[in-house]
Amino acid sequence: MKFGVIIFPSKKLQDLANSYRKRYDPHYALIPPHITLKYAFEATEDEALQFAEKLRHIAGNSHPFLLKTSKISSFSPVNNVIYFKVEPTEELTYLHAEINKEFNQQNTEYAFVPHITIGQHLSNVEHSDVYGSLRMTNVDHEETVDRFHLLYQLENGSWTVYETFRLGRE
Amino acid sequence: MKFGVIIFPSKKLQDLANSYRKRYDPHYALIPPHITLKYAFEATEDEALQFAEKLRHIAGNSHPFLLKTSKISSFSPVNNVIYFKVEPTEELTYLHAEINKEFNQQNTEYAFVPHITIGQHLSNVEHSDVYGSLRMTNVDHEETVDRFHLLYQLENGSWTVYETFRLGRE
């Protein structure tokens, strides 16, 4: 079974992201807009139960923090992924590191660049068109993050929330 | 903002429900398969925060319970909704009643018939065809429910989880 750990930003930011995702992200219907803390990984249900226990502990030792977005950026040429850039604050980076420590054999080959994907699986031409028209867009926004979620993937590719973890509250 | 309270059944049951929803339920992409505990209702974010506090309390005073499905049924002729019938056990009925007490001005005109929708918005002819072919299907299944979720709706109609409440654990 596949699991992942994410933050859902506020409804306001999700609605804004969806206005782009609708056109540019084939995962639009599979999961709401999110910031990935831990990429999809395989685990048994028992492993996930233990992992949830650890996430509860990590959440309890963390605190709500400010999330800031400023602009639209892209992972091109590595990946044709367009996203809202999220400031890599100390708290967010710490949370990411703590969570990934727990299953450190997987998916740790990339540096953590916190982001909210708004477009992906674009051809080079599409990417260039879309990014060209969006790159100057201002997405100055800030909000408080006070929770994150553990999800699992269904057979159709969509994601269901298993559990919410409230920062500083578990 | 619209909120709702639901139970997500196990991945196994969600995958089974989705195999039908894909064809017969236009809400397929908006929310994973679920049992509704409280229908969509309007609330401000402040009201929802208070409601979450009450849900935490209700969850804390409840216990994990057995969920049983047995067959496929329909709300026709009231509604062309086809669903997995969920046994209205004492625990489930109690949980539903406790949650609905809190916002009792809305949506209480129906008796609680716990179910997992697998088809809706069908024409009379479609409903009759689909239900005719599914009504004898055996969905004998049981599993333990140990949590429920508060969700909110985005502008595109899809639902995001706000918080998980674990039965007997908050």
Side-chain angles (χ1 to χ4, degrees):
Chain A
M1 212 160 146
K2 265 195 178 161
F3 292 86
V5 183
I6 58 102
I7 292 168
F8 291 129
S10 64
K11 174 175 181 294
K12 187 181 168 185
L13 204 51
Q14 287 185 67
D15 285 336
L16 181 63
N18 271 340
S19 69
Y20 298 107
R21 294 177 81 221
K22 185 174 186 167
R23 280 169 292 171
Y24 308 127
D25 185 355
H27 292 183
Y28 174 63
L30 301 178
I31 187 168
H34 59 278
I35 297 151
T36 301
L37 289 174
K38 175 151 189 60
Y39 279 95
F41 63 100
E42 276 293 341
T44 63
E45 284 188 65
D46 277 352
E47 287 171 332
L49 279 177
Q50 290 168 35
F51 187 49
E53 198 61 49
K54 287 174 181 166
L55 291 178
R56 237 169 266 141
H57 186 73
I58 292 169
N61 289 333
S62 304
H63 299 283
F65 60 87
L66 217 56
L67 179 106
K68 289 184 195 183
T69 60
S70 52
K71 61 171 190 167
I72 291 178
S73 195
S74 165
F75 286 127
S76 165
V78 175
N79 257 318
N80 285 348
V81 171
I82 299 173
Y83 59 86
F84 291 166
K85 190 172 168 51
V86 172
E87 268 188 39
T89 54
E90 204 177 311
E91 297 95 330
L92 186 53
T93 305
Y94 173 80
L95 192 58
H96 174 267
E98 285 298 303
I99 291 170
N100 282 271
K101 248 191 221 164
E102 298 298 337
F103 263 74
N104 61 5
Q105 70 283 22
Q106 295 161 311
N107 296 320
T108 46
E109 66 265 45
Y110 296 108
F112 179 48
V113 181
H115 65 279
I116 299 166
T117 297
I118 58 168
Q120 59 187 328
H121 300 302
L122 302 164
S123 71
N124 287 338
V125 172
E126 284 173 314
H127 174 271
S128 166
D129 276 3
V130 174
Y131 186 46
S133 76
L134 294 182
R135 63 186 303 166
M136 300 308 283
T137 308
N138 181 0
V139 284
D140 253 327
H141 173 86
E142 62 179 62
E143 64 187 45
T144 301
V145 171
D146 66 354
R147 61 195 63 217
F148 63 88
H149 307 268
L150 173 64
L151 292 79
Y152 55 92
Q153 193 171 31
L154 301 183
E155 293 308 310
N156 69 356
S158 69
W159 292 83
T160 297
V161 169
Y162 180 72
E163 189 163 337
T164 309
F165 306 94
R166 296 193 300 148
L167 301 174
R169 301 299 284 275
E170 303 294 327
Chain B
M1 214 160 145
K2 265 195 177 161
F3 292 85
V5 183
I6 57 102
I7 292 168
F8 291 129
S10 65
K11 173 176 182 294
K12 187 181 169 186
L13 204 51
Q14 288 184 67
D15 285 337
L16 181 63
N18 270 340
S19 69
Y20 299 107
R21 294 178 80 221
K22 186 175 185 167
R23 281 170 289 171
Y24 308 127
D25 185 355
H27 292 184
Y28 174 64
L30 302 179
I31 186 167
H34 59 277
I35 297 150
T36 301
L37 289 174
K38 176 153 187 58
Y39 279 94
F41 62 100
E42 276 293 340
T44 63
E45 284 189 63
D46 277 352
E47 287 171 332
L49 280 177
Q50 290 168 35
F51 187 49
E53 199 59 50
K54 286 174 182 169
L55 291 178
R56 237 169 265 140
H57 186 73
I58 292 169
N61 289 332
S62 304
H63 300 283
F65 60 87
L66 217 55
L67 179 107
K68 289 185 195 182
T69 61
S70 52
K71 61 171 191 168
I72 291 178
S73 196
S74 164
F75 286 128
S76 165
V78 176
N79 256 318
N80 285 348
V81 171
I82 299 172
Y83 58 86
F84 291 167
K85 189 170 169 52
V86 172
E87 267 188 40
T89 54
E90 203 177 312
E91 297 95 330
L92 186 54
T93 305
Y94 173 80
L95 192 57
H96 174 266
E98 285 298 302
I99 291 169
N100 282 271
K101 247 192 224 166
E102 298 298 337
F103 264 74
N104 60 7
Q105 71 281 24
Q106 295 160 313
N107 296 321
T108 46
E109 66 266 43
Y110 297 108
F112 179 49
V113 180
H115 64 280
I116 299 166
T117 296
I118 58 168
Q120 58 186 328
H121 299 301
L122 302 165
S123 71
N124 288 339
V125 172
E126 283 173 316
H127 174 271
S128 166
D129 277 2
V130 174
Y131 187 46
S133 76
L134 295 181
R135 63 186 303 165
M136 299 308 284
T137 308
N138 181 359
V139 284
D140 252 326
H141 173 86
E142 63 178 62
E143 64 186 44
T144 301
V145 171
D146 65 355
R147 61 195 62 216
F148 63 89
H149 307 269
L150 173 64
L151 292 79
Y152 56 92
Q153 193 171 32
L154 302 183
E155 292 308 310
N156 70 357
S158 69
W159 292 83
T160 297
V161 169
Y162 180 72
E163 189 163 337
T164 308
F165 306 95
R166 296 193 301 149
L167 300 174
R169 300 299 284 275
E170 303 292 327

